[in-house]
Amino acid sequence: MTSDLLVEQGGTVILSETTESIGAEHILARRAINRKVRSKILEIVKRTEMRALHLGLDIGRANPAPGNYAGGITTLEEKSLGCITKAGTSKIMEVLEYAESPTQKGLVLMDTPGHDAESVTGLIAGGTQVIAFTTGRGNPMGSPIAPVIKIATNSHVFTRMRENIDINAGEIITGRKTVQEIGDKIFREVIRVASGKLTQSEILGHREFAINRIGPSF
């Protein structure tokens, strides 16, 4: 897994999108380095759920999104299990607020919304230098600040949007590659991009940007 390889090399990996941990937060909590981090993981998920309730929203109806259902996702918990798998198996060292910079090396969590552009902006504001962005439906998003590596989770999306995608992880499903082989491929791509290689989103000029906020603007 790419996350584990980066952590083994002394890097920092940030898992974001708290809404996509709902229903699987107890699994993340078991991987916390200490009780403080464990409590914080549970806190940010509960906070996200309560914020939605206070705004009169039903997370269970908004997430998974219609596109997720069309792609085969059946429940929020199922989607969350897929999301947290991206973080590998390392211990979770700390939990960050939105746009906060890590103080620990290794795997950390950042409390961001599930909205892609808002989440990526928070990661970059916190110091993230390369974004690894998985997409199962074909989101072409990039960023004006940091390179975004687009990873297709199925070969159909990769074939249909070849000019937008950097890596086809769908080869795992077809049996052409193993999880370990694709993880190593993504790891090497992160290093190449960090060394100056342009991503497809950069080549195409995708520069999406959004900042998370709650409440009206005046």
Side-chain angles (χ1 to χ4, degrees):
M1 296 290 290
T2 306
S3 297
D4 291 338
L5 290 171
L6 287 165
V7 170
E8 288 172 8
Q9 295 299 315
T12 299
V13 175
I14 305 177
L15 177 68
S16 61
E17 300 192 3
T18 306
T19 52
E20 297 193 9
S21 296
I22 295 173
E25 67 272 19
H26 61 292
I27 299 175
L28 290 175
R30 287 201 296 263
R31 292 169 51 190
I33 192 68
N34 54 42
R35 289 184 179 180
K36 180 180 178 182
V37 173
R38 179 184 184 278
S39 296
K40 188 68 175 179
I41 292 170
L42 299 176
E43 176 191 326
I44 64 170
V45 173
K46 184 66 174 179
R47 189 169 65 191
T48 298
E49 293 177 309
M50 294 307 296
R51 184 184 297 130
L53 288 173
H54 289 157
L55 292 173
L57 303 175
D58 183 348
I59 291 180
R61 292 185 179 181
N63 193 15
N68 296 142
Y69 286 119
I73 296 292
T74 59
T75 65
L76 175 58
E77 290 78 10
E78 183 180 23
K79 185 178 181 181
S80 295
L81 288 171
C83 177
I84 68 171
T85 299
K86 294 182 288 187
T89 61
S90 303
K91 287 288 187 182
I92 299 170
M93 305 303 294
E94 68 177 329
V95 178
L96 308 172
E97 296 296 333
Y98 185 74
E100 184 181 8
S101 297
T103 63
Q104 304 289 328
K105 294 286 187 180
L107 175 63
V108 302
L109 306 186
M110 180 181 286
D111 184 16
T112 80
H115 186 275
D116 297 328
E118 293 179 5
S119 177
V120 167
T121 299
L123 289 170
I124 295 171
T128 302
Q129 295 166 301
V130 178
I131 304 291
F133 188 108
T134 58
T135 177
R137 300 289 292 171
N139 188 331
M141 199 198 81
S143 170
I145 308 170
V148 179
I149 299 171
K150 304 307 289 295
I151 304 164
T153 61
N154 60 83
S155 296
H156 174 68
V157 165
F158 178 73
T159 301
R160 182 166 51 88
M161 299 183 65
R162 201 179 191 98
E163 72 281 5
N164 291 95
I165 306 297
D166 299 281
I167 291 177
N168 178 23
E171 291 181 303
I172 297 172
I173 300 175
T174 60
R176 297 184 61 186
K177 300 287 184 181
T178 66
V179 172
Q180 289 73 24
E181 287 173 324
I182 293 297
D184 184 67
K185 185 174 184 179
I186 297 171
F187 173 72
R188 296 182 184 281
E189 186 72 2
V190 169
I191 293 173
R192 283 191 287 265
V193 169
S195 299
K197 178 185 177 183
L198 293 179
T199 64
Q200 291 303 111
S201 61
E202 289 179 292
I203 292 170
L204 293 175
H206 280 284
R207 299 170 64 83
E208 288 75 18
F209 182 86
I211 296 175
N212 179 45
R213 65 176 177 81
I214 296 292
S217 296
F218 296 98

